[in-house]
Amino acid sequence: MSAKSIEIMVCMGTGGIAAGGDLVMDAFYSQLKAAGLEANVQKGCSAHKVGCRGLCAKDVLVDVIVDDNKATYEYIKEDMVERLIEEHIKGGKPVEEWLVKEDYHNFHDKQVKVVLADCGNIDPESIDAYIGVEGYKAQEKVFKNLAPTETIEIIKESGLRGRGGAGFPTGFKWELCFKNESDQKYIICNADEGDPGAFMDRSVIEGNPHSVIEGMAIGAFSFGASIGYVYIRAEYPLAVERLYLALDQARQKNFLGKNILGTGFDFDIKVKLGAGAFVCGEETALIASIEGERGMPRAKPPFPVNSGLWGKPTVINNVETLANIPAIIRNGAEWFASYGTEKSKGTKVFALTGKVKNSGLIEIPMGTTLRTIIFDIGGGIENDKKFKAVQTGGPSGGCITEDMLDLNVDFESLAKVGSIVGSGGMIVLDEDNCMVDVAKYFLQFTQSESCGKCVPCRIGTKRLLEILEKITIGEGTAEDLVRLEKLAKDVQSASLCGLGMTAPNPVLSTLKYFRDEYEAHLEGRCPAKACRQLLTYTIDAEACTGCGACKRACPTGAITGEKKKPHALDQELCVKCGACFDTCKFNSVGRE
Amino acid sequence: MASLATIFGSGAMTNSIRGIKHMEVIFIIGSNTKESHPVIANQMIKAHSKGAKIIIADPRKVPLVRFADQHLRLKPGTDVALINAMAHVIVKEGLHNSEFMEDRTQGFEAWKSSLDEFTPEFAEKLTGVPAADIAQAARAYAGSSKAGIFYTMGITQHTHGVDNVSCLANLALLTGNIGREYTGINPLRGQNNVQGACDVGGLPNVYPGYQKVGDPNMRRKFETAWDCVLSEKPGLTATEMMEKASGGRIKSMYILGENPVLSDPNMKHTIDALKNLDFLVVQDIFMTETAALADVVLPATSFAEKFGTFTNTERRVQLVRRALTPPGHAKPDLTIIQEMSGRMGLPMDYASAEDVFNEIASVWPAIEGINYKRLEKKGLQWPCPTRDHPGTEYLFKDGFPVGKAAFTAVEFKPPAEITDDEYPFILTTGRNLFQYHTGSMTRRVPEIEAVAGKAYIEIHEMDAKKLGLKDGDTVNVASRRGNIDIRAMITDRVNPGVVFVPMHYAEAAANMLTNNALDPVCKTPELKVCAVRIVT
Amino acid sequence: MVKLTINGKEVQVPKDTTVLVAARSAGITIPTLCYHPRLKPNGGCRLCVVEVKNIPRLVSSCTTPVSEGMEVQTETARLKEVRATIMKLLLSDHPVECINCRATDDCALHELTMFLEVHENEFTGERRKYDTRDGNPFIERNMEKCILCGRCVSVCEEVQGVGAIDFAYRGFKSKVCPPFEKDLDCEFCGQCVQVCPTGALLGKMWDRGLRLGQEKKAVDTVCTYCGTGCNITLNVQGQNITKVTASERHWNEGWLCVKGRFGYSFVTSPERLTEPLIRKGKELVEVSWEEALDYTAERLKATKEKHGEDTIAGLASARCTNEENYLFQKFMRGAVGTNNVDHCARL
């Protein structure tokens, strides 16, 4: 045993824990102890949890660092720990077959991590770990060496824009708040991440909560807020727990509380749990929710920065936006602005999901092409199917087609093609995805999440959804398409808040780029074979072996036939559930 | 009213309802505004939403407490101690408005010493309100120049009701919160036209317009106006009438649209008094508990069937318009009175209510500027002496009619009846939201009966526990004057030791229990405090 | 003061004025549905959207404050189209069986449909179905007719301070209801009924005893209950009060309490006294007016002669008019000859 230091890092984000990270962690703890390693290693031996590093599909990911040599393992279960300790730690020989493969490196190599830099690197439950990576240095600098206007100037120069969706320049927002005179101002961190499939904010708070706290404190100091709120979904129990822990630690070290760092400035942060309403991610609805009202948006203007929480000037920033702040202060505006494009600076975190091989959380410089994201970082399409489109921006976003794969991902470029950066959802679709169905899916979501306040959103999205439903069961008409487009545009322009204004985007962008798919549905065809009501199932008598599997799977008794003889399907009884198709091992059930 | 009239020279709500929403401090004492004057409470809620402080002094947790910054939960009948202690704090801390006092008040130095004993600590012992809360309320009230006082029968229906009002007047004089917008002393009148009935001379000691019966000049004025001879002897108050009827010295009574059997204290005493009359005539729209005792019942008209004016609590004279014809052979009260007067030797011949109004305006200078034509557009607040006068939003802008208003020293006196071993609970009475006064109208509205058709006694959980009571149990409540069976409602609206019965229900009438002890000056009975026992 | 132009017309209004109010002050009509002048603007119906130069999206004029130099358009083709769509959407989820609705003559939805000339509706689809069961005796809540303008919720909270109702559920299923969808249990002031622009909220006792062919009228008068003196309007048909309403023009701004708004049926109660009565033996029996008046005068005169005028006392009434009270005290003082006249001011 010659190792001088041993460090084990186990991914313990929500994804990691779901894959058994806590069990792996326990196994390391107990077995390292049992092996007496702790006492024998000169510089120390530690096993600790780290936040998500993005590639959740390969959890549990474990780093074993022996004397600064790091090896990363994938798919680790607790019963594999023993061998890791024996062979790698004691024996000095990494377990080759468990190490991460090339795709893990491909996934990471083209990323640039600013916000996620320390996620997956430090123990999120330890403020010392954060301080160990320069944490709270920025806050000290701002509180002790910079005038509020200087801080705001740095943020303005950095070109940082809101990561929550709209991309409003952060420094400018802070300046507006700074200029508003009031006896009370607030800063709110919007951690009400509601887009289906998005988990950027959750990962940041789980993986590096102090970076958000530090960002909030810097903001509060620069425009004069004494109270901050983190509005976070109650469905994020781990993030909430780590946030509370981090807040306590920050208070103990006087990064929060009274007379912070001896400057005479008081600032503290309260946590407000959201109850799962998507619309509460909209800033005015979020404010209403904190005030104890039903989360319903209010018309703007007045903007929160003028009249926000309890009618006071309020800055609302997204988690990712705030997590960028300490790095900008530490490294300077120029450093930050060196990433990205002319109008979209820095990096952006995306949740890359859908039909892509490496799904997970990624951070890329603004301006990276979709092709790089999907085919290099994401490793291409699952099962090597044909790429069809990528949907960005969640339910408020739009679809982007293959011919636009070389588009640079930034605020302007995506807006130009009818989509948005949004909070960073990115769903890859392949040839099996029906675009009408995709639009319907998102509209179902926005309709059921509409707060009900304004007519276009409450009833308009319902009518849009009904038209889409009609189309997907083959009952749509050419007039329906006209009606769909017209209503979508009216809902877009007449709705009260961002939810309603953007809800028609999935419809409008699919109509724009995949009109032929809509038209096919009008003729009773679903080219992607996803809309079951439009399919006809048949049994190929030649190929059928008469095994009876489809007969057993059919819920309506539509399939008949004797054993070992070709079966037959009664179209009258068929409900097009597809169970026979999925069951047949001999490809003798046809679908058209 | 008597007290306000003595101190300022005029007795009415000094300020206006519409001004309430602009007030910064609203001090409500002895008024369950949200239930008795709901639309005025709306104004207070509006003020609250604009940041006004609401301070409520009330033994009960009345609904408006939800909007109050402070609820001073005093023991019934200890208002003098509370208000004097507030004055004590204001004087002691120098929060009084010296400039105002110099200009418009007198007798401060003499009065000041009367406050000496009323330290907040002393008041705490009497009222049960923590001394610090009293001081805080005093500071809030004195700290604003837009502070209004509101009260109703919770202040006046005591044997020391006049004292209570005097104390409130002292507070206003001390801080200058009177004679300006958004301030004042504002008694909220409980009935649609109680202000008007007083204004037009429905009082034993004054002619219309508060012109004194005892003043020979006034008597001559009205003798001339009415072309008749008038008695120089001031008359009896309603409560005294009952007293005298019971003693046989009042022989006949003519009761117009009132129901004293239910509204007067000590119901048994009232019934005995009315039965003791030789002759009773009641003019009403329903067979009330009082009408049932009458020798003659005259069917009259409801507000929906006549023209005329009502004057609301803020002195606003407003037109009442006829929408329906009277049912059956019921006649307008104006017709009945004229017919009767003719038969009694004073012929009256008015073509319309407007005619009558014009006569009132001719004998009462404060409304000389008001006529129906102006009222067609909107109500006008008196004083309105000339045709081009816009009416008066708040009184005493240019000084008090009496000149300099005097501070009144007031001693603390306990209520006429205090609890003892035999009658250990304090009973206080009042209204609820749904029913109105003696219920002659509301109890005939099925919808109201559906939600508030049953009498109840509010009793605190601790007392209920001691008595072994469950919510909804029937109890017998007895005072020295009578007893009723009534359903118990267990609630924290009352404090332990205090119970509350609404006045509306004939079948379990609060006034079977109440004390007919009177205020020595204005003869208001002590309906708000008496001693009772509860038997399960 | 802030200067702006609306439809090219220069308008000057105090700062903090909304575009809607500014437009109305200039005589420009902008259709609204959820807006109510006494309530905080809500901005939900979106009918009042306008175009403002340099703001790319449409803004609701009821919520947008004016600013110096603002250029507002209220009547563009685009706005007309959007407003029509909004109306059609509302109507697509509203039982348009107006012939069966008690609010047809007092329905903003109906009025706007006419005003915006929305005659055909290409948007059809699912309609919300709710039963109207609510056991409270005062307020009928027909939630299928509710357009979720939120006025009732606002008035209950802002004006009445009660908060008995709020929005529940989300999306198309959103509805206004009491907590846990229980029966309404509140102060029943009916402020919500007053501000409801459709037939969703009605007085349960309204329109009782409607008859054919009788004249309808609305009579402004004063409430007969407490001393607040709220202005009310008695809506009558023939000899029936069909409902009580209150106008926003009056000092009480249209607000009433449960008694004033819903407690009117006593007026036409069958228990009303309709004949003069004289006690004969133990019973009170019906007599003619002549007899009753003669008899009363006789008895009063007899008392006066036998015992003196001061043995007679009269109670005027806090319930009666000024004129009646005046005449009564004049009668007591002048005809009877005593100052023994009082009323229940102290009770």
Side-chain angles (χ1 to χ4, degrees):
Chain A
M1 188 71 220
S2 57
K4 292 194 182 71
S5 76
I6 299 167
E7 193 180 359
I8 314 285
M9 300 201 287
V10 182
C11 177
M12 289 265 274
T14 295
I17 291 174
D22 47 349
L23 301 175
V24 172
M25 187 78 204
D26 286 347
F28 270 112
Y29 269 139
S30 53
Q31 291 179 34
L32 286 173
K33 204 169 194 179
L37 283 166
E38 277 171 285
N40 294 334
V41 177
Q42 194 186 349
K43 273 190 176 167
C45 162
S46 69
H48 59 80
K49 50 179 86 169
V50 293
C52 176
R53 58 191 74 188
L55 200 53
C56 301
K58 299 193 180 295
D59 269 327
V60 178
L61 288 159
V62 174
D63 290 328
V64 176
I65 308 165
V66 179
D67 293 344
D68 298 329
N69 293 319
K70 180 159 130 184
T72 304
Y73 292 98
E74 60 186 21
Y75 303 121
I76 297 303
K77 300 268 172 250
E78 75 267 32
D79 56 9
M80 296 154 85
V81 170
E82 193 181 341
R83 189 172 154 201
L84 285 175
I85 291 177
E86 278 308 313
E87 294 185 15
H88 187 167
I89 297 175
K90 286 192 187 163
K93 204 173 149 245
V95 184
E96 284 294 333
E97 71 257 44
W98 294 348
L99 284 172
V100 290
K101 311 293 180 293
E102 196 190 346
D103 55 352
Y104 179 87
H105 296 293
N106 288 342
F107 181 79
H108 283 105
D109 285 352
K110 296 213 169 160
Q111 295 192 46
V112 172
K113 296 200 173 187
V114 173
V115 170
L116 300 177
D118 295 312
C119 283
N121 198 26
I122 58 167
D123 183 347
E125 296 182 2
S126 158
I127 193 170
D128 292 328
Y130 183 64
I131 291 171
V133 291
E134 308 249 280
Y136 288 111
K137 279 268 162 60
Q139 186 179 347
E140 277 198 66
K141 181 173 169 189
V142 165
F143 276 50
K144 291 182 175 165
N145 304 328
L146 295 178
T149 45
E150 287 175 315
T151 308
I152 292 170
E153 203 50 44
I154 292 171
I155 303 302
K156 276 170 76 179
E157 275 172 22
S158 75
L160 175 65
R161 292 169 63 177
R163 289 336 192 203
F168 192 83
T170 306
F172 187 52
K173 193 189 264 187
W174 286 15
E175 189 174 43
L176 287 173
C177 188
F178 173 77
K179 285 181 177 162
N180 273 325
E181 285 193 18
S182 175
D183 53 342
Q184 178 71 60
K185 294 179 190 174
Y186 298 98
I187 179 169
I188 297 173
C189 168
N190 184 349
D192 190 62
E193 186 173 44
D195 286 7
F199 54 104
M200 294 73 68
D201 298 347
R202 193 197 72 207
S203 293
V204 171
I205 293 182
E206 282 177 2
N208 193 0
H210 286 288
S211 64
V212 179
I213 295 170
E214 189 180 3
M216 286 179 79
I218 291 169
F221 183 79
S222 62
F223 51 79
S226 60
I227 297 173
Y229 281 88
V230 177
Y231 188 92
I232 182 169
R233 303 179 63 168
E235 296 96 321
Y236 283 177
L238 183 66
V240 171
E241 189 188 314
R242 289 188 180 157
L243 180 63
Y244 273 119
L245 190 69
L247 287 171
D248 277 344
Q249 292 168 346
R251 282 186 201 109
Q252 274 163 24
K253 300 244 182 211
N254 195 221
F255 293 118
L256 293 176
K258 298 268 177 220
N259 188 19
I260 296 171
L261 306 173
T263 55
F265 183 75
D266 300 340
F267 175 66
D268 209 340
I269 296 173
K270 301 177 189 187
V271 176
K272 176 85 188 172
L273 299 187
F278 175 66
V279 73
C280 285
E282 198 283 337
E283 55 185 10
T284 57
L286 185 153
I287 286 173
S289 179
I290 292 180
E291 289 173 357
E293 304 279 324
R294 173 180 162 101
M296 283 173 119
R298 297 164 184 172
K300 295 186 278 193
F303 291 93
V305 76
N306 297 320
S307 173
L309 187 61
W310 317 112
K312 303 289 182 185
T314 303
V315 165
I316 303 185
N317 286 141
N318 161 270
V319 171
E320 190 186 333
T321 313
L322 289 164
N324 268 306
I325 301 289
I328 294 174
I329 298 290
R330 279 199 308 269
N331 303 317
E334 240 169 80
W335 163 82
F336 185 81
S338 69
Y339 298 107
T341 58
E342 193 198 336
K343 287 182 174 167
S344 302
K345 301 294 185 192
T347 61
K348 175 77 191 90
V349 181
F350 285 93
L352 183 65
T353 55
K355 306 285 182 62
V356 69
K357 281 180 183 154
N358 300 329
S359 63
L361 203 64
I362 61 166
E363 184 172 0
I364 45 139
M366 287 279 193
T368 306
T369 64
L370 281 168
R371 193 180 297 282
T372 305
I373 295 170
I374 296 165
F375 291 94
D376 294 346
I377 299 173
I381 308 302
E382 239 179 5
N383 301 324
D384 296 317
K385 294 252 182 176
K386 191 170 154 26
F387 170 86
K388 185 188 256 183
V390 56
Q391 206 280 350
T392 68
S396 312
C399 292
I400 298 165
T401 53
E402 192 174 6
D403 54 325
M404 292 184 272
L405 272 176
D406 292 310
L407 196 72
N408 299 321
V409 172
D410 62 27
F411 290 111
E412 283 70 30
S413 309
L414 289 191
K416 213 179 285 168
V417 298
S419 188
I420 57 169
V421 170
S423 57
M426 197 174 270
I427 302 170
V428 178
L429 306 168
D430 70 5
E431 54 190 306
D432 291 344
N433 291 106
C434 166
M435 299 314 287
V436 185
D437 193 51
V438 166
K440 190 176 84 176
Y441 166 79
F442 282 114
L443 217 59
Q444 256 161 357
F445 180 82
T446 40
Q447 157 56 213
S448 61
E449 290 293 343
S450 162
C451 79
K453 182 169 180 171
C454 80
V455 178
C457 181
R458 181 180 76 245
I459 310 176
T461 58
K462 173 72 177 175
R463 298 291 173 252
L464 287 174
L465 178 60
E466 285 169 342
I467 297 172
L468 289 174
E469 276 164 352
K470 207 172 149 194
I471 294 171
T472 54
I473 59 168
E475 291 176 7
T477 62
E479 292 81 60
D480 283 328
L481 280 196
V482 176
R483 208 170 289 161
L484 185 72
E485 193 158 12
K486 156 98 168 76
L487 182 54
K489 283 183 178 157
D490 284 348
V491 170
Q492 197 175 43
S493 52
S495 289
L496 187 152
C497 83
L499 193 155
M501 283 189 257
T502 57
N505 287 357
V507 177
L508 287 170
S509 78
T510 50
L511 264 176
K512 185 171 172 191
Y513 299 121
F514 299 94
R515 205 176 183 99
D516 54 328
E517 280 199 39
Y518 280 86
E519 280 159 357
H521 283 76
L522 301 186
E523 293 157 14
R525 277 186 306 114
C526 173
K529 297 191 167 70
C531 298
R532 289 198 154 139
Q533 290 298 315
L534 299 185
L535 301 177
T536 311
Y537 292 87
T538 48
I539 296 173
D540 179 355
E542 306 253 311
C544 179
T545 61
C547 72
C550 59
K551 192 170 133 188
R552 287 189 293 276
C554 180
T556 58
I559 297 175
T560 51
E562 286 174 41
K563 251 194 171 154
K564 312 245 166 144
K565 287 189 179 160
H567 285 27
L569 195 156
D570 182 349
Q571 296 298 339
E572 292 281 303
L573 292 176
C574 178
V575 293
K576 303 176 178 181
C577 70
C580 52
F581 182 85
D582 297 339
T583 314
C584 183
K585 289 179 186 146
F586 308 99
N587 286 332
S588 47
V589 177
R591 188 171 71 165
E592 205 43 60
Chain B
M1 290 307 120
S3 170
L4 282 186
T6 314
I7 298 161
F8 302 122
S10 169
M13 185 166 164
T14 61
N15 287 57
S16 289
I17 297 170
R18 272 184 305 180
I20 295 173
K21 58 174 171 283
H22 302 296
M23 291 181 180
E24 291 171 351
V25 174
I26 295 174
F27 179 37
I28 304 164
I29 180 162
S31 161
N32 178 3
T33 320
K34 189 95 177 84
E35 296 197 85
S36 298
H37 298 88
V39 175
I40 293 180
N42 290 353
Q43 293 275 330
M44 295 172 170
I45 290 167
K46 180 115 188 204
H48 170 79
S49 71
K50 290 168 68 182
K53 279 195 184 115
I54 296 183
I55 301 163
I56 296 178
D58 202 296
R60 293 170 69 219
K61 197 164 136 194
V62 291
L64 204 60
V65 164
R66 203 184 130 202
F67 299 90
D69 291 75
Q70 275 193 278
H71 178 201
L72 313 175
R73 209 163 180 181
L74 75 173
K75 229 169 107 182
T78 61
D79 310 78
V80 165
L82 178 81
I83 308 165
N84 273 353
M86 285 173 69
H88 178 102
V89 172
I90 293 170
V91 171
K92 191 176 158 200
E93 298 187 2
L95 306 172
H96 50 275
N97 183 340
S98 308
E99 199 184 326
F100 177 87
M101 283 161 57
E102 182 69 26
D103 286 355
R104 299 180 66 170
T105 70
Q106 55 180 330
F108 173 66
E109 286 306 324
W111 168 70
K112 203 170 115 183
S113 59
S114 76
L115 297 177
D116 287 350
E117 66 171 320
F118 289 97
T119 61
E121 292 71 24
F122 174 69
E124 176 174 342
K125 278 188 205 120
L126 293 171
T127 60
V129 179
D133 291 0
I134 299 175
Q136 189 190 335
R139 287 176 203 130
Y141 177 74
S144 168
S145 58
K146 291 180 185 171
I149 294 173
F150 296 84
Y151 67 89
T152 60
M153 297 304 186
I155 277 296
T156 54
Q157 286 177 344
H158 291 281
T159 44
H160 48 266
V162 167
D163 288 351
N164 287 343
V165 176
S166 301
C167 288
L168 292 173
N170 290 339
L171 276 189
L173 293 176
L174 198 53
T175 56
N177 275 318
I178 190 161
R180 276 182 296 105
E181 278 186 312
Y182 321 136
T183 62
I185 300 191
N186 301 293
L188 304 177
R189 310 303 304 255
Q191 294 166 72
N192 60 332
N193 200 32
V194 65
Q195 184 67 48
C198 293
D199 292 348
V200 300
L203 294 170
N205 57 336
V206 290
Y207 297 120
Y210 306 97
Q211 305 175 78
K212 290 204 169 60
V213 165
D215 179 342
N217 289 330
M218 287 300 152
R219 196 169 69 247
R220 274 192 294 280
K221 170 179 167 180
F222 281 96
E223 282 179 337
T224 314
W226 294 345
D227 192 18
C228 64
V229 182
L230 296 173
S231 164
E232 59 191 60
K233 209 172 116 196
L236 301 172
T237 63
T239 33
E240 287 170 324
M241 288 174 194
M242 292 302 162
E243 206 59 50
K244 295 256 156 89
S246 149
R249 281 152 62 204
I250 289 288
K251 300 288 184 190
S252 292
M253 275 188 86
Y254 189 156
I255 298 178
L256 183 68
E258 299 234 324
N259 189 10
V261 168
L262 272 191
S263 65
D264 283 19
N266 196 351
M267 183 164 163
K268 201 166 155 294
H269 171 80
T270 311
I271 293 173
D272 288 346
L274 293 174
K275 279 188 174 164
N276 201 31
L277 291 170
D278 287 352
F279 180 65
L280 171 64
V281 51
V282 173
Q283 184 169 320
D284 210 317
I285 64 169
F286 288 113
M287 185 59 76
T288 61
E289 291 73 11
T290 305
L293 302 173
D295 298 291
V296 175
V297 178
L298 302 174
T301 44
S302 79
F303 82 112
E305 295 140 12
K306 59 193 171 196
F307 288 102
T309 54
F310 289 156
T311 305
N312 78 351
T313 187
E314 51 168 0
R315 300 166 278 106
R316 186 182 301 277
V317 183
Q318 309 190 97
L319 267 192
V320 177
R321 295 180 182 86
R322 174 171 157 154
L324 304 172
T325 51
H329 292 110
K331 280 193 189 214
D333 298 67
L334 280 184
T335 313
I336 305 171
I337 298 164
Q338 290 190 62
E339 294 255 4
M340 195 69 77
S341 189
R343 283 171 169 78
M344 294 287 292
L346 181 68
M348 293 183 183
D349 184 19
Y350 299 92
S352 63
E354 189 172 1
D355 263 9
V356 181
F357 188 87
N358 290 339
E359 182 175 311
I360 307 172
S362 73
V363 296
W364 180 23
I367 63 161
E368 224 177 301
I370 304 179
N371 59 27
Y372 273 29
K373 202 170 158 213
R374 288 189 73 184
L375 294 180
E376 279 291 342
K377 287 196 204 90
K378 61 174 201 169
L380 289 166
Q381 284 171 284
W382 64 254
C384 177
T386 58
R387 285 290 143 93
D388 53 3
H389 193 284
T392 305
E393 284 234 6
Y394 59 96
L395 299 178
F396 314 137
K397 186 180 179 183
D398 306 312
F400 302 114
V402 293
K404 285 193 170 184
F407 286 95
T408 317
V410 178
E411 278 175 50
F412 174 75
K413 291 185 222 92
E417 188 174 65
I418 52 173
T419 54
D420 53 26
D421 289 347
E422 204 181 344
Y423 295 99
F425 289 97
I426 300 176
L427 168 74
T428 186
T429 66
R431 293 183 183 174
N432 63 31
L433 171 66
F434 294 95
Q435 298 286 1
Y436 174 71
H437 212 234
T438 69
S440 58
M441 297 186 287
T442 48
R443 300 216 65 194
R444 288 177 172 87
V445 177
E447 295 81 17
I448 286 178
E449 281 293 280
V451 291
K454 287 203 181 106
Y456 55 90
I457 180 168
E458 291 179 1
I459 183 165
H460 192 271
E461 195 181 351
M462 273 163 61
D463 291 330
K465 216 169 183 180
K466 272 187 224 158
L467 292 164
L469 275 182
K470 289 193 309 292
D471 195 75
D473 284 355
T474 300
V475 292
N476 184 271
V477 185
S479 75
R480 290 185 173 83
R481 293 153 295 277
N483 72 89
I484 55 172
D485 287 330
I486 192 165
R487 189 169 53 101
M489 177 198 277
I490 298 172
T491 172
D492 65 349
R493 272 186 155 210
V494 287
N495 263 340
V498 178
V499 292
F500 168 84
V501 176
M503 67 180 288
H504 317 292
Y505 302 93
E507 65 277 20
N511 284 329
M512 280 298 286
L513 308 169
T514 49
N515 191 352
N516 49 331
L518 303 182
D519 183 283
V521 181
C522 74
K523 315 296 182 193
T524 301
E526 186 145 73
L527 290 171
K528 294 301 182 219
V529 192
C530 74
V532 296
R533 68 166 173 245
I534 295 170
V535 183
T536 53
Chain C
M1 295 297 266
V2 176
K3 233 189 259 174
L4 68 158
T5 64
I6 305 178
N7 300 345
K9 183 174 172 185
E10 195 164 287
V11 183
Q12 217 173 358
V13 288
K15 81 181 228 306
D16 296 332
T17 308
T18 61
V19 171
L20 177 69
V21 172
R24 289 194 173 171
S25 75
I28 295 164
T29 310
I30 299 176
T32 58
L33 199 49
C34 66
Y35 175 77
H36 189 283
R38 310 272 179 232
L39 301 173
K40 284 184 197 148
N42 165 302
C45 80
R46 314 305 294 163
L47 277 177
C48 73
V49 286
V50 294
E51 292 184 33
V52 177
K53 196 173 172 187
N54 295 330
I55 298 183
R57 58 199 172 82
L58 307 180
V59 297
S60 42
S61 58
C62 69
T63 58
T64 307
V66 295
S67 60
E68 189 62 39
M70 198 178 214
E71 290 176 39
V72 181
Q73 290 292 332
T74 71
E75 285 302 324
T76 63
R78 173 92 191 102
L79 289 172
K80 279 185 184 158
E81 226 171 86
V82 165
R83 285 178 193 146
T85 298
I86 292 168
M87 277 311 293
K88 286 173 188 171
L89 288 172
L90 277 170
L91 294 173
S92 74
D93 185 33
H94 186 85
V96 278
E97 299 146 4
C98 302
I99 202 160
N100 267 326
C101 180
R102 291 199 281 143
T104 301
D105 58 349
D106 184 23
C107 174
L109 199 59
H110 187 247
E111 203 179 29
L112 280 166
T113 305
M114 299 294 123
F115 177 79
L116 296 170
E117 297 176 352
V118 179
H119 302 308
E120 276 167 22
N121 196 350
E122 67 265 34
F123 303 118
T124 53
E126 187 189 337
R127 237 176 54 194
R128 292 163 300 149
K129 294 277 174 206
Y130 302 121
D131 59 26
T132 53
R133 185 200 61 78
D134 189 320
N136 86 76
F138 297 100
I139 298 172
E140 182 180 311
R141 301 175 56 246
N142 191 338
M143 289 300 105
E144 289 181 12
K145 293 182 187 167
C146 173
I147 54 167
L148 283 95
C149 69
R151 285 189 192 179
C152 53
V153 174
S154 303
V155 82
C156 192
E157 181 63 35
E158 290 171 27
V159 173
Q160 203 61 17
V162 171
I165 43 173
D166 205 338
F167 289 89
Y169 305 105
R170 274 180 237 163
F172 188 67
K173 295 193 183 90
S174 303
K175 73 190 282 196
V176 172
C177 61
F180 309 106
E181 297 203 65
K182 288 184 177 162
D183 284 357
L184 195 58
D185 180 14
C186 62
E187 295 180 359
F188 298 112
C189 61
Q191 253 66 289
C192 53
V193 178
Q194 173 84 22
V195 299
C196 178
T198 71
L201 298 172
L202 299 167
K204 281 193 175 171
M205 71 297 292
W206 286 1
D207 303 324
R208 241 173 233 163
L210 273 186
R211 283 172 190 81
L212 278 181
Q214 295 195 342
E215 188 202 358
K216 282 185 181 178
K217 56 182 175 181
V219 180
D220 287 342
T221 187
V222 181
C223 177
T224 190
Y225 287 109
C226 78
T228 307
C230 296
N231 289 228
I232 60 174
T233 302
L234 295 177
N235 297 263
V236 300
Q237 189 188 25
Q239 280 297 95
N240 267 295
I241 301 179
T242 51
K243 64 179 171 186
V244 168
T245 51
S247 164
E248 284 154 27
R249 287 179 292 114
H250 293 125
W251 71 263
N252 51 305
E253 301 180 346
W255 314 138
L256 296 177
C257 75
V258 59
K259 300 182 285 282
R261 192 182 303 278
F262 296 128
Y264 58 79
S265 68
F266 76 90
V267 171
T268 49
S269 163
E271 290 182 54
R272 280 289 299 274
L273 295 173
T274 55
E275 303 292 338
L277 307 166
I278 290 183
R279 189 171 300 278
K280 293 185 173 170
K282 290 210 150 181
E283 298 297 307
L284 283 165
V285 296
E286 288 183 9
V287 295
S288 70
W289 269 106
E290 278 306 301
E291 185 181 343
L293 292 167
D294 287 345
Y295 176 70
T296 305
E298 205 176 287
R299 291 292 302 267
L300 290 176
K301 272 194 270 183
T303 309
K304 186 171 161 181
E305 272 155 32
K306 199 166 161 199
H307 303 287
E309 52 274 346
D310 284 334
T311 63
I312 302 175
L315 286 180
S317 175
R319 215 62 33 78
C320 288
T321 63
N322 289 326
E323 293 75 3
E324 289 158 354
N325 278 302
Y326 174 81
L327 278 200
F328 185 75
Q329 61 87 34
K330 182 175 172 182
F331 161 74
M332 288 303 295
R333 292 189 156 112
V336 177
T338 179
N339 285 311
N340 287 342
V341 57
D342 196 8
H343 68 288
C344 66
R346 299 168 187 84
L347 302 166

